């Protein structure tokens, strides 16, 4: 990104990182150590989705501020494919086929064209995609190759899954927020807040969200192994 970083965006992204790490900690306890935790329903499911929604919204906001969205999107998508290969080698029956990094990478490639639209058109498109994604596309089909847009076959399984429908609608809301609140590309909150140690730490996490996302899971598993064993 070439814009001067806006601290509150990094701060909220840092909160999203913390929520994500907590969620994956719960997932690991359940999947690897059989703790009686349910991350597919209830509180932990909502906690995980809140983290993802914040990431997607903030990606849309940030995309309105910088000029390197295509380059950034390609970088993220390459890392997404690296995760696909790694998780496939780990478990070929349940690997990341189209996770949040795949989604963000593809979405960023569209920003150069989509951010030219006025806010009211972004809102209309967002609502349409959210509705279509949760109705028409929320069903199973026989074609096994349309999962990136949200159409799944009966045999489809993915360790992480964020298809374009309905999640691109959330991304568009982020772009709209960027247009409305950051049209001048400046922070609208007191920068002194980020000097407090807790705020500074969370903001730091937000600035380095991609590398943290890539390495947090093996680090979690390492520490769980140290404390809980196999």
């Amino acid at each position: 990104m070439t814009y001067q970083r806006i601290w509150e965006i990094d701060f909220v992204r840092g909160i999203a990182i913390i929520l994500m790490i907590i969620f994956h900690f719960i997932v690991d306890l359940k999947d690897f150590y059989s703790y009686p935790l349910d991350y597919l329903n209830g509180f932990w499911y909502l906690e995980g989705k809140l983290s993802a929604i914040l990431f997607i919204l903030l990606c849309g906001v940030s995309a309105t501020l910088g000029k390197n969205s295509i380059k950034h999107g390609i970088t993220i998508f390459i890392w997404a494919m690296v995760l696909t290969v790694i998780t496939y080698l780990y478990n070929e029956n349940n690997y990341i086929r189209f996770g949040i990094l795949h989604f963000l990478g593809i979405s960023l490639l569209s920003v150069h064209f989509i951010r030219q639209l006025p806010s009211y058109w972004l809102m209309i498109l967002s609502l349409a995609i959210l509705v279509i994604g949760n109705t028409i596309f929320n069903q199973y089909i026989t074609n096994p190759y349309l999962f990136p847009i949200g159409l799944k076959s009966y045999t489809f399984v993915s360790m992480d899954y964020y298809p374009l429908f309905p999640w691109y609608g959330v991304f568009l809301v982020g772009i709209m927020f960027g247009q409305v609140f950051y049209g001048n590309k400046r922070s609208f909150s007191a920068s002194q807040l980020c000097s407090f140690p807790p705020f500074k730490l969370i903001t730091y996490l937000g600035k380095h969200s991609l590398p943290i996302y890539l390495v947090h899971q093996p680090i979690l598993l390492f520490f769980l192994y140290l404390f809980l064993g196999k």
Side-chain angles (χ1 to χ4, degrees), residues 158-228:
S158 182
M159 192 181 295
D160 186 38
Y161 185 48
Y162 285 87
L164 294 172
F165 287 82
W167 293 103
Y168 193 72
V170 179
F171 181 76
L172 291 181
V173 173
I175 292 179
M176 185 184 67
F177 282 176
Q179 290 180 347
V180 172
F181 296 110
Y182 293 103
N184 59 2
K185 300 186 179 182
R186 294 179 181 177
S187 172
F188 62 85
S189 60
S191 59
Q192 293 84 353
L193 289 173
C194 65
S195 63
F196 293 119
F199 283 65
K200 193 172 183 178
L201 174 60
I202 295 173
T203 302
Y204 177 85
L205 295 176
K207 286 181 179 179
H208 301 89
S209 57
L210 180 57
I212 291 172
Y213 182 91
L214 293 172
V215 304
H216 81 282
Q217 186 67 298
I219 291 175
L220 277 177
L221 291 173
F222 172 74
F223 279 103
L224 284 173
Y225 176 79
L226 284 182
F227 288 100
L228 299 178

Side-chain angles (χ1 to χ4, degrees), residues 43-193:
F43 174 81
W44 291 118
Y45 173 82
L46 295 175
E47 193 264 5
K49 289 305 176 187
L50 174 60
S51 173
I53 289 170
L54 288 176
F55 272 122
I56 295 170
L57 284 174
L58 292 172
C59 186
V61 172
S62 297
T64 67
L65 303 174
K67 297 181 180 180
N68 295 324
S69 294
I70 292 178
K71 179 181 178 181
H72 194 45
I74 292 172
T75 300
I76 290 178
F77 191 79
I78 289 173
W79 279 115
M81 294 308 298
V82 169
L83 290 182
T84 293
V85 172
I86 291 173
T87 55
Y88 177 81
L89 293 174
Y90 172 74
N91 184 353
E92 65 182 47
N93 295 316
N94 184 18
Y95 59 96
I96 301 176
R97 300 193 181 193
F98 200 83
I100 194 167
L101 288 189
H102 298 78
F103 166 79
L104 292 178
I106 293 296
S107 297
L108 284 169
L109 293 178
S110 71
V111 167
H112 178 73
F113 306 100
I114 204 73
R115 69 181 175 187
Q116 308 300 324
L117 296 175
S119 296
Y120 63 87
W121 272 114
L122 290 174
M123 177 58 74
I124 292 172
L125 280 176
S126 173
L127 290 174
I129 291 170
L130 288 170
V131 170
I132 293 172
N134 285 290
T135 54
I136 298 175
F137 280 23
N138 191 22
Q139 55 185 310
Y140 292 97
I141 61 172
T142 56
N143 190 314
Y145 304 111
L146 296 179
F147 59 88
I149 64 173
L151 293 172
K152 301 174 292 184
S153 67
Y154 287 98
T155 59
F156 176 80
V157 178
S158 182
M159 192 181 295
D160 186 38
Y161 185 48
Y162 285 87
L164 294 172
F165 287 82
W167 293 103
Y168 193 72
V170 179
F171 181 76
L172 291 181
V173 173
I175 292 179
M176 185 184 67
F177 282 176
Q179 290 180 347
V180 172
F181 296 110
Y182 293 103
N184 59 2
K185 300 186 179 182
R186 294 179 181 177
S187 172
F188 62 85
S189 60
S191 59
Q192 293 84 353
L193 289 173

